[in-house]
Amino acid sequence: MSVAVKALFFDVFGTVTDWRGGVAREAERILKPLGHALDWLAFADAWRDQYQPAMEEVRAGRLPFCKLDVLHRHNLDRIRPRFGLSGLAEDTARDLNLAWHRLDGWPDAAPGLARLKRRFMLAPVSNGNISLMVDLARRNGFPWDAILGAETAGDYKPKPRVYLAACEALDLPPGECMMVAAHTNDLLAAAKCGLRTAHIARPNERGPGTGEAAPKAPVDIAAGSLEDLAAKLGT
Amino acid sequence: MSVAVKALFFDVFGTVTDWRGGVAREAERILKPLGHALDWLAFADAWRDQYQPAMEEVRAGRLPFCKLDVLHRHNLDRIRPRFGLSGLAEDTARDLNLAWHRLDGWPDAAPGLARLKRRFMLAPVSNGNISLMVDLARRNGFPWDAILGAETAGDYKPKPRVYLAACEALDLPPGECMMVAAHTNDLLAAAKCGLRTAHIARPNERGPGTGEAAPKAPVDIAAGSLEDLAAKLGT
């Protein structure tokens, strides 16, 4: 690369962590003892389906910015009737909403990040809020240098402000920052802001064969995992 | 303590790092080869003397918020004539301004933080900007969970907003957060917002006998070092 990259920014849901398996597992752990018997993966998928529409309300300026935890709760309440969960106690609903704070990293995530940390500054640039990112990092040993992303920018990806605020926080021009994601649309939005891009293949993000096995547009690096990215960046 | 503390917030300049020794050392490293012969400690003290007045312009609303790096540079330019540094090349002045990014932790800082991290979320709540905090953490191995403080709050301590924004970022009520500082005024401001307080003795912060060997007002914990704080908190 002509310009040396100094910082790597990471999408987290899907790229670094397995949201689908984690939400399904947490829902089962919390709801099964209460007598609920759902299709846990279908429940995770339905919850995630509300994700983009909810953020779009903020991105379009129809709602003021609020943390993703708030949107997740709103989205949960929307899908509850469909899964027979309308009568959930408030404490249970609140605990269930924290399922997103208890996701596991993909097996290559923590070791890959540890290698990348030797040479690069690392930060999540996720739509997840700060407390959510902190909980995921403590659970999985993600060695972030700072938590950047939607909450510090006050808007949601793929709005340009989110990528640019991350560069500005580290005093770096966009060309010295690289966005790392398993979703081509995230990378295209970052590239429009001048950032470098690395695609991570997560072909099974939403179940076998559902994710992007390869980028759908040109990127600077296409890697099979975060450990592969570390190798391709020479760390 | 009646309420369990979940997060520890740290003042950094003086409490976790030795700003005086670090700025003096960096100034000598950069300026001596250029033929300058200053009293390096006096230079560090003079630069630091501009710190509170510069932030007061922001706190009072006479200047919009800007990163501490910007204030440090403004302050450097103010004291340059006094030290025969008016003719400094721009590159040199810019490098010198980054002296604050290259401070060393007090010897107890990294080991104390590593112990505290096992049980508590840890974040700097400093007036230093995010990039400055990241550079200090990478240099010294400070295991922060997130970088909070002035830049995320958009104002400078001891304004209440800075402490409260840190609590809100972690979704914690102030009573579950503890401010850790070597300066009683910082702790009093945090306590007014409802946070718990821990004082760290740094009697030699500005040279022998210049710092606070003990808190000047009641605090929840008075410790001799960050390792002593870890012991007193049972970690």
Side-chain angles (χ1 to χ4, degrees):
Chain A
M1 254 158 284
S2 50
V3 177
V5 168
K6 293 186 180 156
L8 303 179
F9 297 149
F10 294 81
D11 174 64
V12 170
F13 300 120
T15 301
V16 177
T17 59
D18 170 17
W19 61 264
R20 189 176 192 245
V23 169
R25 180 201 63 230
E26 287 296 303
E28 182 171 2
R29 182 182 67 77
I30 294 166
L31 297 176
K32 203 175 177 181
L34 301 174
H36 295 281
L38 319 183
D39 178 339
W40 307 109
L41 288 170
F43 174 73
D45 289 343
W47 201 351
R48 180 72 171 181
D49 281 343
Q50 303 291 325
Y51 179 65
Q52 290 297 341
M55 291 189 298
E56 188 54 28
E57 294 300 299
V58 175
R59 289 189 293 242
R62 289 188 292 269
L63 263 187
F65 181 82
C66 62
K67 296 186 192 200
L68 187 62
D69 276 345
V70 175
L71 297 183
H72 272 154
R73 177 57 196 270
H74 171 80
N75 295 345
L76 172 62
D77 292 345
R78 278 176 75 98
I79 65 165
R80 275 164 61 179
R82 215 188 311 164
F83 289 89
L85 300 172
S86 299
L88 233 45
E90 175 55 26
D91 276 2
T92 306
R94 199 173 294 159
D95 189 27
L96 185 56
N97 201 47
L98 293 178
W100 298 89
H101 289 233
R102 302 182 193 123
L103 307 179
D104 289 336
W106 298 111
D108 55 283
L113 291 174
R115 284 174 63 181
L116 291 163
K117 169 114 178 178
R118 289 184 222 143
R119 189 174 312 173
F120 302 100
M121 290 188 273
L122 308 181
V125 173
S126 161
N127 283 331
N129 41 284
I130 293 173
S131 65
L132 197 167
M133 290 295 124
V134 167
D135 285 344
L136 293 181
R138 289 184 67 93
R139 177 185 181 92
N140 291 285
F142 301 150
W144 305 129
D145 289 294
I147 309 288
L148 305 174
E151 188 174 348
T152 51
D155 207 342
Y156 284 107
K157 293 191 295 180
K159 290 281 282 287
R161 185 70 211 129
V162 187
Y163 308 98
L164 294 173
C167 302
E168 290 165 16
L170 298 185
D171 298 327
L172 294 174
E176 296 182 12
C177 302
M178 176 175 271
M179 186 71 206
V180 181
H183 315 114
T184 302
N185 71 320
D186 199 354
L187 298 176
L188 287 176
K192 260 196 186 169
C193 296
L195 285 80
R196 301 291 180 148
T197 53
H199 184 273
I200 308 296
R202 298 293 183 202
N204 307 320
E205 180 180 347
R206 226 180 208 269
T210 58
E212 294 183 14
K216 296 174 177 174
V219 295
D220 290 302
I221 298 177
S225 68
L226 292 182
E227 291 191 274
D228 185 33
L229 177 65
K232 288 194 157 86
L233 285 169
T235 62
Chain B
M1 251 158 289
S2 49
V3 178
V5 168
K6 292 187 180 156
L8 302 178
F9 296 149
F10 294 82
D11 174 64
V12 170
F13 300 120
T15 301
V16 177
T17 60
D18 171 17
W19 60 265
R20 191 177 191 242
V23 169
R25 180 201 64 229
E26 287 296 303
E28 182 171 2
R29 183 182 67 76
I30 294 165
L31 298 175
K32 203 174 177 182
L34 301 175
H36 295 281
L38 319 182
D39 178 337
W40 307 109
L41 288 169
F43 174 73
D45 289 341
W47 200 352
R48 181 72 171 180
D49 281 342
Q50 302 292 324
Y51 178 66
Q52 290 296 344
M55 291 190 298
E56 188 54 29
E57 294 299 299
V58 174
R59 288 189 294 242
R62 288 188 294 270
L63 264 185
F65 181 82
C66 62
K67 296 187 192 199
L68 187 62
D69 276 345
V70 175
L71 297 183
H72 272 154
R73 178 55 197 272
H74 172 79
N75 295 344
L76 172 61
D77 292 345
R78 278 176 74 97
I79 64 163
R80 273 163 64 179
R82 215 188 311 164
F83 289 89
L85 301 172
S86 299
L88 234 47
E90 175 56 27
D91 277 3
T92 306
R94 199 173 295 159
D95 189 27
L96 185 56
N97 201 48
L98 294 178
W100 298 89
H101 290 232
R102 301 181 194 124
L103 308 178
D104 289 336
W106 297 111
D108 54 283
L113 292 173
R115 282 174 64 180
L116 291 163
K117 171 117 177 173
R118 288 184 223 144
R119 189 174 311 172
F120 303 99
M121 289 189 273
L122 308 181
V125 173
S126 162
N127 283 330
N129 40 284
I130 293 172
S131 64
L132 197 167
M133 290 297 123
V134 167
D135 285 345
L136 293 181
R138 290 185 66 92
R139 176 185 183 94
N140 291 287
F142 300 150
W144 305 128
D145 289 295
I147 308 287
L148 305 174
E151 188 173 347
T152 50
D155 207 341
Y156 284 106
K157 291 191 296 181
K159 289 282 281 287
R161 184 72 211 129
V162 185
Y163 308 99
L164 294 173
C167 303
E168 290 164 16
L170 297 186
D171 299 326
L172 294 174
E176 295 182 12
C177 301
M178 175 176 273
M179 185 71 206
V180 182
H183 314 115
T184 302
N185 72 317
D186 198 354
L187 298 176
L188 287 175
K192 259 195 189 170
C193 296
L195 286 79
R196 300 292 179 149
T197 53
H199 185 271
I200 308 296
R202 297 293 185 201
N204 307 319
E205 179 180 349
R206 226 181 209 267
T210 57
E212 294 183 13
K216 296 175 178 174
V219 295
D220 290 301
I221 297 176
S225 68
L226 292 180
E227 290 190 274
D228 185 32
L229 177 65
K232 288 191 156 88
L233 285 168
T235 62

